Amino acid sequence: MLDTGQLQLSGDALLWFRQGLAAAATEAYVLAVAHYDRVIDVRPDFYEVWYERGLALEKCGSYVDAIASFDRALSLRPKSDASVQIWFCRGNALQYGLGSYTEAIESYDRVLQSKPDHEETWQNRGNALLYGLSHPTEAIASYDRVLHINPASYLAWRNRGNALVALQRYQEAIASYDRALTIKPDDDVSWQARQLASDRSGLSQRPPTTNPAWYGIGFNEPPTVIDGDVHSRDSFLPEPDLDNSDARPQGRPFLVIEDDRGQRDLILELDQYQLGRDPKSDICLHSQFASRHHAIITKIFQGDGSYTYQITDGDLDGKASTNGLLINGQKYRTWALKPEDVIVFGPRVRATYRLSASDETGTA
């Protein structure tokens, strides 16, 4: 809730507003929106309710409506500190909800005009530049502003390292990852990214692990550590046989997807699916660790009329994802999917390929 001082509400409007806040606090966001709408019926000039309504709509995944609520709040000329918070939330909805990175940066810049030392805004602005628009040099400038404000931000050091990797400045990237790990030694993502930068720079003193350090994090199959390296129980798998008849579906194929939104099933019927963090993807992976265009699943028809599904890392133009694909613990570029294959895209985001003999499987 915005720190607005004494609320300029009374009677039923005040009651409904408080009920909306209480509903949002228990994650009953649809109910919260209903309460806020009742306040708006009698006090449409109350910018705080438009802001809170926007937050609740964002939690419901209604990003366009959330942004419209934030815009209405801003049109009512809120106080300076409140305006900063509304512009910040508007930018987040644009970036993380709609993937509208240029517009998100415009919102973040409005925050920075009023509050140039707003750490989170510089961080998220850098993320939009790096992961959304692929502008690593500009992203580094934003992360450097974060570090000027807070030198102990391990996320800024890590993201700065990622931007340097994108520029192929690997030794500088390693130095950034080292700073992140000094602050947070158990940051597995920084360890994996550092290893990748080391491998690419030719500085690695041992063969790179086939399993990044984030494999299994957040799931029930943690990796085992052997001689300082990370391995799963299925570390060494044969090269994929794309004509393997075992991969041909004997039932209805579907994916069990696990990400920041929980677990859901998705039946595979189309000839091709794009998977990634981009909200426009056929299969959206709700995780900051998934690339915008992480992988493609393609139906491959056989001569006898049967088919397999094949997954390939990267986008339609052949650009590889950041983390790649770990399939049953082994990193592959392309793989013919077989029942119970586990595909890991990054920390706490994965999919399991399964077959159903019935039509009872739900859709995402």
Side-chain angles (χ1 to χ4, degrees):
M1 179 178 169
L2 293 174
D3 183 10
T4 58
Q6 186 175 357
L7 292 175
Q8 301 300 311
L9 288 178
S10 61
D12 288 341
L14 179 59
L15 175 63
W16 294 327
F17 187 64
R18 287 175 172 168
Q19 288 176 337
L21 295 175
T26 61
E27 300 184 359
Y29 299 113
V30 173
L31 179 59
V33 171
H35 287 309
Y36 296 143
D37 285 344
R38 297 190 73 179
V39 178
I40 289 169
D41 286 341
V42 296
R43 284 294 306 276
D45 61 334
F46 186 57
Y47 70 79
E48 290 93 333
V49 73
W50 286 106
Y51 167 75
E52 296 292 347
R53 183 177 184 269
L55 292 181
L57 286 165
E58 188 176 4
K59 291 293 187 180
C60 293
S62 301
Y63 299 107
V64 172
D65 291 337
I67 292 165
S69 277
F70 293 142
D71 286 344
R72 186 62 185 271
L74 290 166
S75 73
L76 295 171
R77 300 182 181 278
K79 299 176 182 178
S80 177
D81 286 348
S83 177
V84 164
Q85 187 63 20
I86 297 167
W87 279 112
F88 176 69
C89 292
R90 185 181 189 274
N92 290 343
L94 284 162
Q95 175 173 197
Y96 299 114
L98 299 181
S100 300
Y101 302 105
T102 300
E103 294 177 63
I105 290 170
E106 291 171 357
S107 286
Y108 294 143
D109 286 347
R110 292 296 296 267
V111 174
L112 297 170
Q113 287 175 12
S114 300
K115 197 169 183 179
D117 289 338
H118 197 278
E119 178 185 339
E120 289 179 282
T121 298
W122 284 113
Q123 183 80 259
N124 290 358
R125 186 180 188 276
N127 293 346
L129 287 164
L130 177 59
Y131 303 114
L133 299 178
S134 299
H135 294 164
T137 300
E138 296 174 56
I140 289 170
S142 283
Y143 296 136
D144 283 346
R145 289 298 297 265
V146 176
L147 295 168
H148 177 75
I149 299 164
N150 177 17
S153 173
Y154 80 94
L155 283 175
W157 284 113
R158 182 216 288 167
N159 286 323
R160 186 177 185 274
N162 292 344
L164 288 163
V165 166
L167 294 170
Q168 299 183 12
R169 292 159 57 180
Y170 299 118
Q171 294 191 42
E172 294 174 75
I174 291 168
S176 278
Y177 294 136
D178 285 344
R179 291 295 296 270
L181 291 165
T182 298
I183 298 163
K184 189 175 174 60
D186 61 347
D187 180 24
D188 294 310
V189 178
S190 290
W191 279 114
Q192 188 269 335
R194 187 190 189 283
Q195 181 64 53
L196 177 64
S198 180
D199 294 341
R200 290 183 178 179
S201 70
L203 297 177
S204 181
Q205 299 301 310
R206 58 182 173 82
T209 176
T210 57
N211 300 311
W214 43 257
Y215 178 71
I217 293 175
F219 300 115
N220 295 325
E221 300 175 5
T224 56
V225 180
I226 303 174
D227 296 332
D229 206 345
V230 180
H231 297 270
S232 74
R233 287 183 289 273
D234 302 310
S235 292
F236 302 100
L237 300 179
E239 288 300 310
D241 179 2
L242 300 184
D243 294 321
N244 189 347
S245 61
D246 291 339
R248 298 176 188 176
Q250 302 299 315
R252 195 173 192 185
F254 68 100
L255 290 177
V256 180
I257 300 171
E258 299 170 73
D259 57 19
D260 290 349
R261 293 281 181 90
Q263 179 176 307
R264 62 193 185 279
D265 296 350
L266 177 66
I267 295 171
L268 297 178
E269 298 176 315
L270 303 180
D271 290 344
Q272 187 174 78
Y273 295 86
Q274 295 186 55
L275 296 80
R277 193 180 71 248
D278 191 330
K280 297 178 182 178
S281 299
D282 301 311
I283 301 175
C284 185
L285 301 173
H286 301 283
S287 171
Q288 63 174 317
F289 300 110
S291 295
R292 285 185 66 204
H293 306 291
H294 201 114
I296 300 166
I297 290 180
T298 306
K299 184 184 287 185
I300 306 296
F301 289 94
Q302 308 297 323
D304 60 1
S306 64
Y307 63 89
T308 67
Y309 272 107
Q310 171 183 312
I311 188 167
T312 302
D313 179 58
D315 61 16
L316 292 170
D317 296 325
K319 181 180 178 181
S321 67
T322 300
N323 286 331
L325 298 173
L326 283 178
I327 302 172
N328 304 325
Q330 183 81 6
K331 198 162 188 177
Y332 287 110
R333 172 72 174 169
T334 298
W335 180 256
L337 292 169
K338 295 182 285 295
E340 302 306 318
D341 279 346
V342 177
I343 310 154
V344 177
F345 304 96
R348 294 176 292 278
V349 53
R350 72 174 182 178
T352 304
Y353 180 76
R354 289 178 177 163
L355 299 179
S356 173
S358 69
D359 293 337
E360 296 177 357
T361 304
T363 57

